[in-house]
Amino acid sequence: MENVNGMYSIREIYRIGRGPSSSHTMGPSYACEVMLKEYPQADTFRIVLYGSLAKTGIGHRTDYAIRETLKDKVCEIVFDEEETELLHPNTMKITAIKENKELCTKTVRSIGGGAIEFDGEEIKQSEIIYPHTSFFDIESYCEEKGISIADYVFSFEDAHIKDYLRLVWDRMKATVSSGLLKDGIIPGGLNIKRRAKMLLKKGNSKSFGHEKEIYLLSAYAYAASEENAIGEQMVTAPTCGASGVLPAVLIFKQQELGFDDEEVVSALAVAGVIGNLVKHNASISGAECGCQAEIGTACTMAAAALAYLKGLSIKQIECAAEIALEHHLGLTCDPIKGLVQIPCIERNAVAAMRAVDAVSLAEMLYENRKISLDLVIKTMYETGRDLSFRYRETSEGGLASLYVAECD
Ligand code: SF4
């Protein structure tokens, strides 16, 4: 939950970078970049990883991301799994050292989606630009001005936001296209075969209908997630682990219903502000609130984007987003061996299908709806805080612990 009176640019939700984990690779790597800029004279950096960063850092390639960023320096990385008194489950300490003398030590939290916070300082990754922090307020503002949610976003963001979203959309399509071409085993030790290409073939053999939808949505979600799993270029939406849901829905629906790229750019704006609401009022970090915060948020963003593309009203968009998130409540994060593979890849496909279903339900059920999007976001945060740490990206519970017990 962000402790500020307003929301940041949706650029914070859509970061272009390398997988497999925004909080475990992008965040730590950005923190090291900041330290490197501040202490270029340092010859050594000592990095201590705590909490989820320590427990799943190897599977999530945190050490690799850090070494890549600090490649010209000596780099000592310590995985401290014992420390439990942490302000955030993804905490790290970075010490800059020159000729064995400490120059400075900073504590950093990787708060999800690649964003970071330095203890006691404000690192400005972005300015607060949205004065509203609830869907209720955004909807009231849009109604008063007679504008859509996409226009709301464009009225607060800077003049280059559409160009940025075009870049995001191009990257999403490129990631999916490249994932659809590849066969083979995903490295990491789980011996998982890539499935996207096979699902695409199956989908293309069907005429438009429910079966084709299932195969193609899954193919696109698998393609993006399989690319993420091997550390390829992708877009967080809102995180690396959940980066297959939104592109899968948008690519499939563009093919099926013929939306043009500019319409998709507007839909990305709508999805972005929904992701922003979750980030501001709850969390998009699996280490903080479980997978409901990652895949649940991706699903709610995709549902809102599709509802917007289909020309539904603001109330129907809210309803679609609310249904999509409500039925992810309680979803745990339990990646086997700390890899962003099982359950992550398949989960992206399931969430893409769920987003499409949420929009269909919202078209019919939005009247007299009892649960608001704001309420379900708040509930997700409370549920996440109540989840045992074992289910918050530590690989110590759920599938991660049972799979190891049975098979290793
Ligand atoms: S289980 Fe969900 S939250 Fe956890 S690493 Fe996988 S995608 Fe991310």
Side-chain angles (χ1 to χ4, degrees):
M1 186 185 281
E2 289 170 338
N3 199 14
V4 285
N5 295 325
M7 299 197 299
Y8 298 106
S9 166
I10 59 170
R11 284 178 168 84
E12 297 278 304
I13 295 291
Y14 300 121
R15 287 171 200 265
I16 300 172
R18 286 188 182 275
S21 167
S22 38
S23 54
H24 286 60
T25 51
M26 285 186 187
S29 149
Y30 180 55
C32 291
E33 231 175 86
V34 173
M35 284 294 277
L36 194 55
K37 253 190 214 148
E38 286 181 15
Y39 300 95
Q41 72 276 35
D43 51 45
T44 303
F45 285 87
R46 184 164 197 270
I47 293 108
V48 187
L49 302 167
Y50 301 99
S52 171
L53 289 180
K55 290 177 194 289
T56 56
I58 290 180
H60 283 32
R61 294 165 62 103
T62 308
D63 49 340
Y64 175 78
I66 289 172
R67 285 188 205 285
E68 278 292 291
T69 310
L70 299 171
K71 55 180 156 226
D72 298 329
K73 308 286 179 181
V74 176
C75 193
E76 298 167 3
I77 302 178
V78 178
F79 294 84
D80 182 345
E81 296 191 31
E82 305 307 317
E83 180 61 67
T84 51
E85 300 289 308
L86 302 168
L87 279 179
H88 190 279
N90 279 333
T91 298
M92 60 195 285
K93 265 193 190 143
I94 310 177
T95 304
I97 300 164
K98 184 174 165 69
E99 290 163 1
N100 294 321
K101 270 178 67 187
E102 180 180 327
L103 301 176
C104 174
T105 294
K106 291 193 182 187
T107 302
V108 194
R109 296 176 288 274
S110 179
I111 57 173
I116 54 169
E117 285 174 354
F118 276 82
D119 233 14
E121 337 177 357
E122 209 186 312
I123 290 288
K124 285 212 164 132
Q125 286 169 280
S126 173
E127 301 287 335
I128 290 174
I129 58 167
Y130 293 97
H132 309 107
T133 56
S134 68
F135 190 88
F136 178 83
D137 285 348
I138 292 174
E139 181 187 11
S140 308
Y141 182 89
C142 289
E143 272 174 7
E144 192 191 312
K145 302 271 178 196
I147 58 172
S148 69
I149 300 180
D151 288 337
Y152 167 82
V153 171
F154 297 137
S155 70
F156 283 101
E157 295 278 349
D158 66 33
H160 305 293
I161 189 65
K162 282 194 182 179
D163 287 338
Y164 184 72
L165 292 176
R166 286 182 195 115
L167 208 66
V168 161
W169 180 226
D170 286 347
R171 184 63 254 170
M172 284 178 168
K173 288 188 287 186
T175 300
V176 169
S177 298
S178 119
L180 288 171
L181 295 174
K182 295 181 186 165
D183 291 307
I185 302 290
I186 300 174
L190 287 177
N191 204 26
I192 296 179
K193 270 192 194 160
R194 294 185 75 126
R195 300 282 186 190
K197 194 172 170 185
M198 177 274 291
L199 285 161
L200 176 71
K201 200 170 159 199
K202 191 102 178 151
N204 282 340
S205 70
K206 308 274 173 195
S207 46
F208 267 108
H210 191 54
E211 265 195 315
K212 188 178 187 82
E213 177 169 300
I214 290 173
Y215 288 128
L216 289 187
L217 273 175
S218 301
Y220 303 150
Y222 267 74
S225 306
E226 288 171 351
E227 287 295 271
N228 176 64
I230 61 165
E232 288 293 347
Q233 285 271 348
M234 38 57 66
V235 184
T236 61
T239 62
C240 292
S243 62
V245 183
L246 184 58
V249 171
L250 292 177
I251 291 171
F252 176 73
K253 287 296 172 184
Q254 183 178 51
Q255 289 169 348
E256 185 195 28
L257 302 172
F259 303 116
D260 66 34
D261 282 345
E262 286 308 293
E263 290 174 295
V264 175
V265 161
S266 295
L268 283 172
V270 174
V273 83
I274 298 294
N276 239 350
L277 285 170
V278 181
K279 184 165 176 247
H280 181 85
N281 295 295
S283 171
I284 56 168
S285 159
E288 201 176 1
C289 284
C291 196
Q292 53 170 2
E294 293 202 17
I295 289 283
T297 306
C299 188
T300 195
M301 288 169 64
L306 178 58
Y308 171 83
L309 278 173
K310 291 180 90 174
L312 303 193
S313 67
I314 293 183
K315 286 217 179 313
Q316 288 171 309
I317 293 172
E318 180 195 9
C319 182
E322 184 277 308
I323 292 172
L325 185 57
E326 183 183 330
H327 303 291
H328 280 94
L329 289 179
L331 189 68
T332 60
C333 171
D334 53 356
I336 296 178
K337 290 186 186 287
L339 298 163
V340 192
Q341 297 181 15
I342 302 176
C344 321
I345 296 173
E346 187 175 275
R347 198 164 274 179
N348 276 265
V350 173
M353 294 183 250
R354 194 175 275 188
V356 173
D357 291 343
V359 176
S360 302
L361 279 176
E363 284 188 72
M364 296 180 287
L365 303 181
Y366 73 100
E367 281 171 314
N368 300 317
R369 192 88 191 143
K370 304 285 184 218
I371 308 295
S372 68
L373 178 60
D374 292 326
L375 179 63
V376 84
I377 291 173
K378 191 173 168 202
T379 308
M380 190 271 272
Y381 187 63
E382 283 211 15
T383 308
R385 302 301 293 171
D386 285 343
L387 278 180
S388 157
F389 75 94
R390 297 173 65 228
Y391 303 109
R392 291 192 273 130
E393 215 163 353
T394 55
S395 286
E396 291 189 353
L399 285 176
S401 64
L402 293 177
Y403 179 85
V404 171
E406 280 174 12
C407 303
D408 281 3

